[in-house]
Amino acid sequence: ADAALAKFVRRVVLALFDAGAVPVTTSRGTAYEYIALHRYGHEREVIIESIMGEWEASAKDDEYLFSVWFALPSEAVGNLNP
């Protein structure tokens, strides 16, 4: 079951990237709704592996699945370029 869940999560993250989404966080105190996160890296596969590694290290806590947010690039997202 763990392998199937990991495969599913990876496919979801891949689908988000294929749609053009980027990892973000809230941006309280700025002019943006979200701020793009670059802590996961800058290349697609590196970002995906970083997110998956963080998720796997979290002992698959149910709430972790919702702690990495994604957004499509727009005027509402700041810090898009590293």
Side-chain angles (χ1 to χ4, degrees):
D2 285 343
L5 179 58
K7 185 176 180 179
F8 173 77
V9 171
R10 181 179 296 278
R11 290 181 68 194
V12 168
V13 173
L14 282 168
L16 288 164
F17 274 96
D18 288 347
V22 296
V24 297
T25 189
T26 57
S27 65
R28 293 181 180 107
T30 74
Y32 301 100
E33 291 181 46
Y34 303 102
I35 299 293
L37 293 174
H38 300 290
R39 73 173 187 234
Y40 295 111
H42 302 290
E43 296 178 20
R44 180 177 183 250
E45 285 302 316
V46 171
I47 294 168
I48 292 166
E49 290 305 316
S50 294
I51 290 171
M52 291 301 298
E54 188 175 297
W55 174 69
E56 289 168 353
S58 73
K60 296 179 182 66
D61 178 354
D62 291 339
E63 291 192 24
Y64 181 77
L65 294 173
F66 302 103
S67 66
V68 177
W69 299 0
F70 290 85
L72 293 172
S74 72
E75 293 177 1
V77 181
N79 195 35
L80 284 170
N81 298 314

